[in-house]
Every structure is written in structure tokens, then in C-alpha cells.
Amino acid sequence: MSFNYVVYKLTFPNGKIYVGKDIGGEGHSLRYFGSWFNANVEKDFTDEELRDFTIRKQIIFESPDKIEISKMESELIVSLKSNDPAIGYNQTHRSVKRA
């Protein structure tokens, strides 16, 4: 089976999520797990927990159109709230709090 370009959701052992897209090459690569910041993830786990670490990857949207994938990734980051540090690890689309 091969996929077009995709938006995927990663779920970490603590339940936090990361939403990303794979628009490289000819389509989705099974081995691609995104560009999340290691330091943000590592600080949420002990060294022992990091020694046996499972991440679940789910394809949540697929399209042959890279523009549609990018648009949907942004929409899903916001709707799934993966940009909220309490919920996920996405760094983009964060709300700016004003005083």
C-alpha cells in the first residue's frame, strides 16, 4: 500500500500529541516522524521512560495535493489543540496572550 501526501498525528506515551505533514518525495514515507523538538518531549519523561518509548502514528488526512495538505495540517493543529503545551508538542499556531 502506498499513500499520497498525508497529515498524521503522533501520540506520545503521556497522551500528548503532535500533528505533522509528509509532503516529501512521491508521498508519505512510513519512517518519517516529523520535526518536533526533542527537548520539549524529553523534558516530559524520565531517562528510564525514554529507554522504552512507543509513539503511535495515525494518518488522519490524505491527498495528492500538497497545498491542501498544508492547509489541513494547520486546521488540525488548531482543532486538535496540539499547539497547546498541555495537550501537544506543536510550536506553530500558538495563541499570543496580550496583557
Side-chain angles (χ1 to χ4, degrees):
M1 175 176 205
S2 64
F3 292 97
N4 289 302
Y5 305 116
V6 301
V7 178
Y8 58 86
K9 179 176 84 170
L10 302 179
T11 304
F12 292 81
N14 60 0
K16 287 188 179 183
I17 62 173
Y18 174 84
V19 174
K21 66 184 174 187
D22 187 352
I23 56 172
E26 297 295 317
H28 173 62
S29 169
L30 181 60
R31 63 186 170 158
Y32 184 67
F33 274 74
S35 56
W36 38 276
F37 294 100
N38 286 340
N40 290 346
V41 174
E42 288 174 354
K43 70 180 175 61
D44 285 345
F45 298 93
T46 65
D47 287 347
E48 190 61 32
E49 290 170 327
L50 291 170
R51 292 184 201 295
D52 186 5
F53 199 78
T54 301
I55 299 172
R56 179 179 183 196
K57 182 178 186 180
Q58 297 168 275
I59 294 172
I60 55 177
F61 184 76
E62 180 182 4
S63 173
D65 183 347
K66 290 181 181 183
I67 294 170
E68 184 178 27
I69 289 292
S70 293
K71 181 177 182 272
M72 186 57 71
E73 178 198 30
S74 294
E75 290 177 14
L76 288 165
I77 287 170
V78 172
S79 69
L80 295 174
K81 299 180 182 174
S82 63
N83 55 343
D84 177 342
I87 295 171
Y89 292 113
N90 284 89
Q91 299 292 300
T92 60
H93 307 298
R94 292 246 167 121
S95 298
V96 176
K97 294 185 180 180
R98 302 194 194 287

XYZ file of all heavy atoms in Angstrom:
809
model
N 0.847 -1.181 0.000
C 0.000 0.000 0.000
C 0.886 1.235 0.000
O 1.894 1.280 0.676
C -0.886 -0.020 1.241
C -1.717 1.212 1.398
S -2.833 1.065 2.811
C -4.066 2.190 2.271
N 0.495 2.228 -0.758
C 1.221 3.494 -0.730
C 0.226 4.629 -0.511
O -0.935 4.546 -0.902
C 1.997 3.705 -2.027
O 1.098 3.807 -3.108
N 0.694 5.647 0.158
C -0.138 6.795 0.479
C 0.286 7.985 -0.355
O 1.440 8.100 -0.766
C 0.003 7.155 1.961
C -0.564 6.129 2.886
C 0.250 5.179 3.472
C -1.917 6.117 3.180
C -0.265 4.239 4.338
C -2.446 5.174 4.035
C -1.619 4.228 4.618
N -0.651 8.898 -0.565
C -0.333 10.186 -1.145
C 0.394 10.999 -0.076
O 0.969 10.446 0.852
C -1.625 10.904 -1.562
C -2.290 10.261 -2.761
O -1.702 10.143 -3.817
N -3.541 9.851 -2.584
N 0.297 12.295 -0.161
C 0.800 13.160 0.893
C -0.181 13.071 2.057
O -1.375 12.867 1.856
C 0.935 14.589 0.385
C 1.795 14.663 -0.854
C 1.264 15.069 -2.069
C 3.131 14.293 -0.809
C 2.052 15.120 -3.207
C 3.926 14.331 -1.946
C 3.379 14.745 -3.145
O 4.158 14.779 -4.267
N 0.322 13.219 3.270
C -0.538 12.985 4.429
C -0.348 14.015 5.536
O 0.694 14.664 5.637
C -0.297 11.586 5.042
C -0.562 10.484 4.033
C 1.091 11.453 5.636
N -1.381 14.119 6.372
C -1.291 14.751 7.678
C -1.407 13.599 8.672
O -2.256 12.719 8.514
C -2.419 15.776 7.916
C -2.309 16.381 9.319
C -2.396 16.875 6.862
N -0.541 13.581 9.659
C -0.537 12.490 10.630
C -0.578 13.062 12.035
O -0.277 14.233 12.271
C 0.705 11.605 10.457
C 1.987 12.379 10.586
C 2.557 12.603 11.824
C 2.607 12.915 9.457
C 3.710 13.349 11.949
C 3.764 13.652 9.573
C 4.305 13.874 10.824
O 5.440 14.623 10.946
N -0.974 12.216 12.966
C -0.979 12.567 14.379
C -0.109 11.558 15.110
O -0.299 10.349 14.966
C -2.393 12.542 14.942
C -2.461 12.889 16.433
C -3.890 12.964 16.939
C -4.380 11.597 17.296
N -5.676 11.603 18.007
N 0.841 12.067 15.866
C 1.643 11.229 16.740
C 1.089 11.343 18.152
O 0.777 12.440 18.609
C 3.105 11.685 16.757
C 3.850 11.726 15.428
C 5.274 12.220 15.644
C 3.843 10.375 14.756
N 0.969 10.211 18.828
C 0.552 10.216 20.223
C 1.692 9.619 21.042
O 2.150 8.512 20.777
C -0.733 9.396 20.428
O -1.754 9.915 19.562
C -1.204 9.490 21.883
N 2.145 10.390 22.017
C 3.263 10.002 22.863
C 2.745 9.257 24.091
O 1.557 9.314 24.409
C 4.052 11.256 23.262
C 4.756 11.885 22.092
C 4.073 12.718 21.206
C 6.086 11.624 21.837
C 4.707 13.276 20.110
C 6.737 12.183 20.743
C 6.042 13.009 19.878
N 3.628 8.562 24.814
C 3.184 7.765 25.974
C 2.436 8.556 27.043
O 1.630 8.000 27.766
C 4.485 7.189 26.534
C 5.407 7.144 25.376
C 5.049 8.353 24.543
N 2.665 9.852 27.131
C 1.978 10.687 28.118
C 0.636 11.207 27.605
O -0.031 11.980 28.285
C 2.872 11.849 28.564
C 3.264 12.757 27.419
O 2.894 12.551 26.270
N 4.055 13.772 27.730
N 0.259 10.821 26.393
C -1.012 11.256 25.820
C -0.938 12.534 25.021
O -1.891 12.894 24.329
N 0.181 13.250 25.100
C 0.314 14.465 24.297
C 0.459 14.089 22.823
O 0.924 12.995 22.492
C 1.524 15.287 24.747
C 1.310 15.996 26.069
C 2.463 16.940 26.354
C 2.272 17.688 27.636
N 3.379 18.651 27.860
N 0.077 15.037 21.953
C 0.080 14.755 20.518
C 0.927 15.757 19.739
O 1.256 16.835 20.238
C -1.360 14.739 19.954
C -2.040 16.108 20.127
C -2.169 13.629 20.590
C -3.393 16.229 19.445
N 1.266 15.360 18.549
C 1.940 16.218 17.582
C 1.274 15.962 16.235
O 1.087 14.808 15.842
C 3.433 15.875 17.493
C 4.164 16.636 16.413
C 4.651 17.915 16.657
C 4.359 16.080 15.154
C 5.324 18.622 15.658
C 5.034 16.780 14.154
C 5.511 18.047 14.419
O 6.160 18.742 13.436
N 0.892 17.032 15.538
C 0.293 16.924 14.206
C 1.317 17.419 13.203
O 1.896 18.501 13.361
C -1.013 17.747 14.112
C -1.547 17.748 12.687
C -2.055 17.200 15.075
N 1.564 16.622 12.169
C 2.529 16.991 11.151
C 2.066 16.568 9.777
O 1.015 15.948 9.609
N 2.877 16.924 8.792
C 2.569 16.554 7.416
C 3.780 15.918 6.781
O 4.917 16.163 7.183
C 2.132 17.775 6.605
C 3.235 18.806 6.417
C 2.746 20.030 5.691
C 3.857 21.091 5.654
N 3.382 22.349 5.112
N 3.535 15.093 5.793
C 4.609 14.497 4.993
C 4.275 14.776 3.536
O 3.350 14.197 2.977
C 4.712 12.999 5.254
C 5.922 12.361 4.581
O 6.594 13.054 3.789
O 6.183 11.182 4.849
N 5.013 15.720 2.955
C 4.803 16.097 1.561
C 6.080 15.919 0.744
O 6.266 16.536 -0.289
C 4.264 17.538 1.420
C 5.185 18.551 2.091
C 2.851 17.637 1.966
C 4.822 20.003 1.835
N 6.942 15.052 1.231
C 8.205 14.820 0.553
C 8.110 13.740 -0.510
O 7.215 12.899 -0.493
N 9.035 13.764 -1.434
C 9.162 12.715 -2.439
C 7.881 12.416 -3.183
O 7.145 13.304 -3.577
N 7.613 11.142 -3.322
C 6.440 10.680 -4.058
C 5.216 10.522 -3.163
O 4.159 10.095 -3.616
C 6.752 9.331 -4.730
C 7.857 9.415 -5.761
C 7.469 10.282 -6.948
O 6.335 10.173 -7.431
O 8.326 11.072 -7.390
N 5.363 10.806 -1.898
C 4.252 10.652 -0.957
C 4.772 10.245 0.406
O 5.972 10.286 0.675
N 3.886 9.831 1.248
C 4.202 9.523 2.637
C 5.240 8.411 2.770
O 5.152 7.382 2.126
C 2.916 9.103 3.353
C 3.140 8.617 4.742
N 3.678 9.408 5.724
C 2.908 7.421 5.312
C 3.759 8.713 6.835
N 3.301 7.504 6.617
N 6.206 8.652 3.663
C 7.215 7.653 3.992
C 6.912 7.115 5.384
O 6.791 7.891 6.345
C 8.607 8.277 3.975
O 9.545 7.385 4.530
N 6.793 5.828 5.502
C 6.486 5.191 6.784
C 7.488 5.581 7.868
O 7.145 5.713 9.036
C 6.470 3.672 6.604
C 6.134 2.840 7.823
C 4.747 3.184 8.344
C 6.212 1.360 7.477
N 8.720 5.806 7.498
C 9.748 6.083 8.508
C 9.825 7.549 8.924
O 10.579 7.904 9.824
C 11.107 5.601 8.022
C 11.578 6.301 6.792
C 12.849 5.680 6.280
N 13.104 6.242 4.963
C 14.263 6.265 4.397
N 15.284 5.737 5.013
N 14.408 6.786 3.224
N 9.049 8.420 8.299
C 9.077 9.847 8.657
C 8.184 10.110 9.860
O 7.005 9.781 9.853
C 8.644 10.712 7.473
C 8.745 12.183 7.766
C 9.983 12.774 7.947
C 7.609 12.957 7.903
C 10.086 14.121 8.245
C 7.700 14.304 8.189
C 8.945 14.877 8.361
O 9.043 16.215 8.659
N 8.757 10.703 10.905
C 8.022 11.001 12.122
C 8.057 12.478 12.486
O 7.880 12.845 13.632
C 8.548 10.156 13.289
C 7.919 8.793 13.375
C 8.270 7.804 12.480
C 6.961 8.512 14.329
C 7.693 6.544 12.535
C 6.367 7.259 14.400
C 6.733 6.274 13.505
N 8.298 13.320 11.531
C 8.154 14.750 11.744
C 9.371 15.462 12.274
O 10.455 14.910 12.396
N 9.129 16.727 12.601
C 10.217 17.605 13.038
C 9.886 18.264 14.374
O 10.093 19.443 14.573
C 10.492 18.662 11.969
O 9.305 19.386 11.671
N 9.354 17.488 15.294
C 9.081 18.011 16.621
C 10.391 18.218 17.367
O 11.417 17.641 17.023
C 8.132 17.093 17.401
C 8.339 15.630 17.194
C 7.835 14.879 16.174
C 9.124 14.742 17.980
N 8.248 13.577 16.292
C 9.040 13.466 17.394
C 9.881 14.887 19.122
C 9.682 12.354 17.922
C 10.522 13.777 19.646
C 10.413 12.544 19.048
N 10.342 19.058 18.395
C 11.548 19.401 19.143
C 11.818 18.366 20.225
O 11.047 18.219 21.170
C 11.420 20.800 19.757
C 11.363 21.883 18.723
C 10.149 22.441 18.352
C 12.512 22.337 18.101
C 10.087 23.434 17.394
C 12.469 23.324 17.140
C 11.253 23.880 16.785
N 12.930 17.652 20.081
C 13.297 16.607 21.040
C 13.298 17.103 22.480
O 12.804 16.425 23.376
C 14.675 16.031 20.719
C 14.671 15.136 19.513
O 13.644 14.619 19.096
N 15.840 14.956 18.922
N 13.860 18.288 22.701
C 13.985 18.803 24.065
C 12.624 18.963 24.734
O 12.485 18.699 25.930
C 14.734 20.133 24.067
N 11.616 19.384 23.980
C 10.277 19.551 24.560
C 9.677 18.217 24.973
O 8.957 18.129 25.958
C 9.342 20.242 23.567
C 9.705 21.691 23.358
O 10.474 22.262 24.121
N 9.159 22.292 22.335
N 9.959 17.184 24.212
C 9.450 15.854 24.532
C 10.264 15.257 25.681
O 9.702 14.759 26.661
C 9.484 14.928 23.291
C 9.101 13.505 23.672
C 8.569 15.463 22.190
N 11.573 15.318 25.575
C 12.441 14.700 26.578
C 12.190 15.219 27.989
O 12.258 14.462 28.948
C 13.907 14.904 26.202
C 14.318 14.061 25.022
C 15.741 14.351 24.542
O 16.385 15.302 25.056
O 16.198 13.629 23.648
N 11.858 16.500 28.122
C 11.651 17.060 29.466
C 10.408 16.494 30.156
O 10.273 16.578 31.366
C 11.587 18.589 29.425
C 10.366 19.171 28.773
C 10.431 20.693 28.793
C 9.284 21.326 28.056
N 7.966 21.055 28.560
N 9.514 15.880 29.375
C 8.298 15.299 29.948
C 8.461 13.857 30.406
O 7.517 13.266 30.927
C 7.151 15.361 28.926
C 6.578 16.755 28.772
O 6.845 17.619 29.626
O 5.848 16.977 27.790
N 9.656 13.282 30.215
C 9.875 11.871 30.534
C 11.171 11.692 31.311
O 12.123 12.448 31.136
C 9.931 11.032 29.253
C 8.654 11.068 28.466
C 8.470 11.987 27.455
C 7.622 10.180 28.756
C 7.284 12.038 26.741
C 6.434 10.217 28.049
C 6.262 11.148 27.038
N 11.194 10.665 32.142
C 12.423 10.328 32.851
C 13.359 9.590 31.895
O 12.926 9.105 30.839
C 12.129 9.397 34.046
O 11.644 8.144 33.547
C 11.116 10.013 34.999
N 14.618 9.475 32.285
C 15.573 8.710 31.479
C 15.094 7.270 31.310
O 15.193 6.693 30.229
C 16.963 8.712 32.122
C 17.655 10.062 31.991
O 17.185 10.916 31.206
O 18.677 10.261 32.668
N 14.567 6.716 32.377
C 14.078 5.336 32.322
C 12.912 5.203 31.333
O 12.861 4.251 30.554
C 13.653 4.866 33.717
C 13.365 3.386 33.797
C 14.563 2.509 33.450
O 15.720 2.891 33.710
O 14.318 1.411 32.914
N 11.992 6.138 31.352
C 10.860 6.104 30.412
C 11.329 6.236 28.962
O 10.759 5.616 28.061
C 9.865 7.222 30.736
C 9.108 6.997 32.021
C 8.310 8.206 32.456
O 8.742 9.352 32.215
O 7.239 8.007 33.063
N 12.370 7.003 28.749
C 12.894 7.190 27.387
C 13.611 5.948 26.858
O 13.824 5.820 25.661
C 13.827 8.407 27.337
C 13.133 9.761 27.510
C 14.169 10.862 27.690
C 12.206 10.065 26.345
N 13.958 5.023 27.728
C 14.630 3.794 27.304
C 13.672 2.793 26.644
O 14.092 1.903 25.917
C 15.310 3.123 28.493
C 16.473 3.906 29.039
C 17.164 3.132 30.154
N 17.956 3.949 31.028
C 19.050 4.622 30.707
N 19.478 4.613 29.477
N 19.714 5.320 31.599
N 12.387 2.925 26.909
C 11.369 2.048 26.315
C 10.205 2.948 25.928
O 9.313 3.223 26.725
C 10.929 0.986 27.323
C 9.979 -0.028 26.717
O 9.729 0.023 25.496
O 9.469 -0.873 27.468
N 10.230 3.433 24.714
C 9.395 4.558 24.291
C 8.627 4.199 23.030
O 9.218 3.851 22.011
C 10.333 5.741 24.021
C 9.677 7.080 24.005
C 9.347 7.714 25.187
C 9.421 7.724 22.809
C 8.768 8.974 25.179
C 8.841 8.973 22.789
C 8.515 9.607 23.983
N 7.322 4.281 23.088
C 6.489 3.956 21.938
C 5.684 5.180 21.522
O 5.031 5.804 22.355
C 5.516 2.806 22.270
O 6.271 1.665 22.670
C 4.661 2.448 21.066
N 5.726 5.497 20.231
C 4.931 6.581 19.665
C 3.949 5.966 18.674
O 4.340 5.162 17.830
C 5.814 7.604 18.922
C 6.822 8.238 19.873
C 4.957 8.677 18.252
C 7.845 9.120 19.178
N 2.689 6.353 18.796
C 1.673 5.884 17.848
C 1.529 6.913 16.735
O 1.430 8.115 16.990
C 0.335 5.721 18.558
C -0.754 5.262 17.612
C -2.073 5.084 18.322
N -3.055 4.573 17.391
C -4.345 4.601 17.608
N -4.816 5.078 18.744
N -5.178 4.124 16.714
N 1.519 6.444 15.498
C 1.367 7.322 14.339
C 0.089 6.949 13.602
O -0.097 5.801 13.222
C 2.568 7.173 13.405
C 2.533 8.087 12.199
C 3.794 7.886 11.375
C 3.906 8.859 10.245
N 5.135 8.633 9.470
N -0.784 7.950 13.428
C -2.028 7.744 12.713
C -2.104 8.720 11.542
O -1.876 9.917 11.725
C -3.231 8.020 13.619
C -3.348 7.110 14.810
C -4.379 7.632 15.780
O -4.061 8.477 16.612
N -5.602 7.141 15.677
N -2.439 8.230 10.380
C -2.684 9.104 9.235
C -4.116 9.592 9.371
O -5.054 8.792 9.404
C -2.443 8.367 7.915
C -0.958 8.029 7.811
C -2.909 9.209 6.729
C -0.594 7.143 6.665
N -4.274 10.919 9.468
C -5.607 11.467 9.703
C -6.169 12.223 8.505
O -7.339 12.592 8.507
C -5.636 12.339 10.981
C -4.580 13.444 10.941
C -5.429 11.459 12.209
C -4.601 14.380 12.149
N -5.331 12.442 7.483
C -5.816 13.062 6.253
C -4.836 12.727 5.136
O -3.631 12.686 5.363
C -5.927 14.591 6.411
C -6.513 15.284 5.234
C -7.876 15.245 4.989
C -5.705 15.961 4.346
C -8.419 15.882 3.881
C -6.228 16.600 3.235
C -7.598 16.558 3.006
N -5.357 12.505 3.954
C -4.527 12.137 2.808
C -5.028 12.863 1.568
O -6.231 13.022 1.372
C -4.615 10.624 2.596
C -3.801 10.115 1.436
C -3.960 8.618 1.233
O -4.757 7.976 1.937
O -3.267 8.102 0.344
N -4.090 13.310 0.739
C -4.451 13.996 -0.504
C -3.251 13.983 -1.452
O -2.106 13.976 -0.999
C -4.842 15.452 -0.209
O -5.037 16.185 -1.400
N -3.501 14.035 -2.763
C -2.401 14.174 -3.713
C -1.943 15.628 -3.859
O -0.977 15.911 -4.547
C -3.007 13.655 -5.023
C -4.461 13.933 -4.901
C -4.772 13.781 -3.435
N -2.613 16.551 -3.173
C -2.375 17.996 -3.315
C -1.613 18.540 -2.099
O -2.143 18.569 -0.983
C -3.726 18.696 -3.463
C -3.628 20.188 -3.688
O -2.539 20.774 -3.505
O -4.664 20.790 -4.036
N -0.375 18.986 -2.310
C 0.447 19.494 -1.204
C -0.149 20.724 -0.541
O -0.027 20.907 0.672
C 1.854 19.826 -1.702
C 2.678 18.632 -2.059
C 4.065 19.061 -2.516
C 4.915 17.872 -2.897
N 6.290 18.272 -3.263
N -0.798 21.581 -1.323
C -1.406 22.787 -0.765
C -2.551 22.413 0.169
O -2.693 22.963 1.261
C -1.874 23.740 -1.887
C -0.650 24.275 -2.645
C -2.701 24.899 -1.323
C -0.965 25.025 -3.911
N -3.362 21.464 -0.248
C -4.467 21.001 0.588
C -3.937 20.369 1.886
O -4.492 20.574 2.965
C -5.330 19.994 -0.179
C -6.554 19.540 0.582
C -7.425 18.571 -0.206
O -6.908 17.852 -1.091
O -8.625 18.530 0.097
N -2.840 19.623 1.776
C -2.228 19.002 2.957
C -1.762 20.076 3.943
O -2.026 19.990 5.139
C -1.054 18.080 2.552
C -1.567 16.827 1.864
C -0.176 17.730 3.748
C -2.329 15.870 2.751
N -1.099 21.098 3.435
C -0.599 22.164 4.315
C -1.748 22.897 5.001
O -1.673 23.209 6.200
C 0.255 23.143 3.519
O 1.439 22.497 3.094
N -2.805 23.166 4.262
C -3.978 23.833 4.834
C -4.618 22.952 5.911
O -4.941 23.426 7.003
C -4.983 24.139 3.724
C -6.221 24.852 4.174
C -7.115 25.177 2.981
C -8.350 25.934 3.393
N -9.465 25.100 3.771
N -4.774 21.683 5.617
C -5.409 20.775 6.572
C -4.537 20.576 7.812
O -5.054 20.479 8.922
C -5.710 19.436 5.914
C -6.490 18.495 6.795
S -8.076 19.145 7.401
C -9.030 19.141 5.905
N -3.216 20.532 7.634
C -2.332 20.412 8.800
C -2.574 21.575 9.757
O -2.741 21.368 10.965
C -0.867 20.396 8.371
C 0.086 20.330 9.557
C 1.505 20.731 9.234
O 1.705 21.574 8.332
O 2.413 20.212 9.890
N -2.618 22.801 9.225
C -2.859 23.975 10.070
C -4.203 23.888 10.772
O -4.307 24.160 11.975
C -2.812 25.249 9.220
O -1.525 25.458 8.718
N -5.232 23.496 10.038
C -6.567 23.381 10.627
C -6.597 22.333 11.738
O -7.209 22.541 12.786
C -7.595 23.025 9.548
C -7.875 24.147 8.581
C -8.842 23.759 7.465
O -9.515 22.714 7.563
O -8.916 24.511 6.474
N -5.929 21.208 11.517
C -5.942 20.134 12.511
C -5.102 20.472 13.739
O -5.457 20.085 14.853
C -5.499 18.821 11.875
C -6.547 18.210 10.931
C -5.930 17.119 10.065
C -7.728 17.676 11.719
N -4.018 21.201 13.558
C -3.227 21.653 14.715
C -4.105 22.489 15.636
O -4.119 22.295 16.857
C -1.976 22.446 14.271
C -0.937 21.499 13.679
C -1.392 23.254 15.434
C 0.226 22.193 12.998
N -4.878 23.385 15.044
C -5.752 24.256 15.838
C -6.935 23.470 16.412
O -7.217 23.564 17.603
C -6.238 25.457 14.988
C -7.291 26.259 15.733
C -5.053 26.337 14.602
N -7.606 22.671 15.597
C -8.811 21.983 16.080
C -8.492 20.894 17.109
O -9.278 20.673 18.033
C -9.622 21.405 14.920
O -8.952 20.338 14.299
N -7.360 20.229 16.980
C -6.963 19.208 17.959
C -6.208 19.799 19.147
O -5.878 19.098 20.097
C -6.116 18.126 17.285
C -6.827 17.292 16.223
C -5.846 16.364 15.517
C -7.980 16.510 16.826
N -5.905 21.104 19.052
C -5.213 21.853 20.110
C -3.818 21.308 20.414
O -3.330 21.405 21.538
C -6.061 21.905 21.377
C -7.395 22.594 21.166
C -8.208 22.644 22.417
C -9.544 23.312 22.105
N -10.445 23.276 23.237
N -3.167 20.738 19.399
C -1.815 20.215 19.614
C -0.799 21.340 19.782
O 0.353 21.088 20.124
C -1.406 19.293 18.470
O -1.357 19.986 17.248
N -1.225 22.590 19.594
C -0.375 23.756 19.818
C -0.481 24.266 21.257
O 0.225 25.181 21.645
C -0.716 24.868 18.830
C -2.190 25.247 18.854
O -3.033 24.514 19.362
N -2.522 26.383 18.278
N -1.348 23.663 22.058
C -1.464 23.967 23.480
C -0.454 23.089 24.211
O -0.557 21.864 24.154
C -2.893 23.668 23.949
C -3.111 23.880 25.437
O -2.124 23.928 26.212
O -4.280 23.965 25.834
N 0.535 23.667 24.900
C 1.570 22.864 25.545
C 1.046 21.814 26.521
O 1.714 20.824 26.785
C 2.437 23.893 26.268
C 2.171 25.182 25.574
C 0.759 25.096 25.068
N -0.155 21.991 27.030
C -0.740 20.993 27.928
C -1.274 19.788 27.154
O -1.469 18.721 27.726
C -1.866 21.617 28.749
N -1.484 19.961 25.851
C -2.079 18.919 25.014
C -1.100 18.339 24.002
O -1.136 17.154 23.701
C -3.331 19.474 24.292
C -4.405 19.820 25.328
C -3.860 18.508 23.243
C -5.596 20.557 24.776
N -0.230 19.192 23.471
C 0.627 18.702 22.399
C 1.959 19.407 22.288
O 2.290 20.300 23.073
N 2.703 18.997 21.277
C 4.071 19.466 21.068
C 4.250 20.377 19.857
O 5.373 20.756 19.543
C 5.015 18.264 20.946
C 5.157 17.501 22.235
C 4.675 16.201 22.360
C 5.771 18.070 23.344
C 4.815 15.491 23.539
C 5.908 17.375 24.536
C 5.431 16.092 24.628
O 5.571 15.394 25.805
N 3.172 20.745 19.169
C 3.326 21.657 18.032
C 3.707 23.045 18.529
O 3.155 23.539 19.516
C 2.043 21.734 17.205
C 1.848 20.520 16.339
O 1.248 19.546 16.778
N 2.367 20.563 15.131
N 4.641 23.666 17.831
C 5.115 25.000 18.185
C 4.436 26.088 17.357
O 4.527 27.261 17.689
C 6.636 25.085 17.979
C 7.413 24.110 18.835
C 7.330 24.451 20.298
O 7.746 25.531 20.702
N 6.782 23.568 21.088
N 3.792 25.707 16.263
C 3.159 26.695 15.385
C 1.707 26.903 15.789
O 1.111 26.095 16.491
C 3.196 26.228 13.915
O 2.502 24.985 13.810
C 4.615 26.067 13.433
N 1.158 28.020 15.342
C -0.248 28.371 15.559
C -0.573 28.556 17.043
O -1.682 28.298 17.478
C -1.199 27.323 14.947
C -0.917 27.054 13.524
N -1.006 28.006 12.550
C -0.522 25.917 12.886
C -0.687 27.480 11.378
N -0.377 26.216 11.561
N 0.411 29.008 17.808
C 0.190 29.262 19.224
C -0.524 30.605 19.371
O -0.243 31.551 18.656
C 1.518 29.319 19.979
C 2.203 27.966 20.029
C 2.248 27.496 21.446
N 2.615 26.093 21.509
C 3.674 25.660 22.154
N 4.491 26.491 22.757
N 3.921 24.370 22.191
N -1.432 30.677 20.325
C -2.136 31.925 20.602
C -1.162 32.872 21.290
O -0.355 32.455 22.114
C -3.321 31.682 21.524
O -4.237 30.824 20.920
N -1.287 34.142 20.946
C -0.469 35.155 21.596
C -1.324 35.807 22.674
O -2.382 36.333 22.403
C 0.012 36.218 20.579
C 0.782 37.327 21.277
C 0.833 35.570 19.489
N -0.843 35.710 23.911
C -1.588 36.323 25.027
C -1.101 37.752 25.212
O 0.082 38.002 25.309
C -1.382 35.494 26.297
C -1.994 34.125 26.185
C -1.880 33.368 27.476
C -2.521 31.995 27.279
N -2.470 31.191 28.473
N -2.046 38.652 25.248
C -1.725 40.074 25.413
C -2.102 40.505 26.826
O -3.101 40.077 27.374
C -2.472 40.893 24.381
C -2.159 40.479 22.959
C -2.640 41.527 21.968
N -2.670 41.052 20.596
C -1.638 40.844 19.824
N -0.442 41.024 20.293
N -1.772 40.463 18.577
N -1.296 41.415 27.364
C -1.549 41.914 28.728
C -2.656 42.930 28.728
O -3.001 43.539 27.788
C -0.275 42.517 29.286
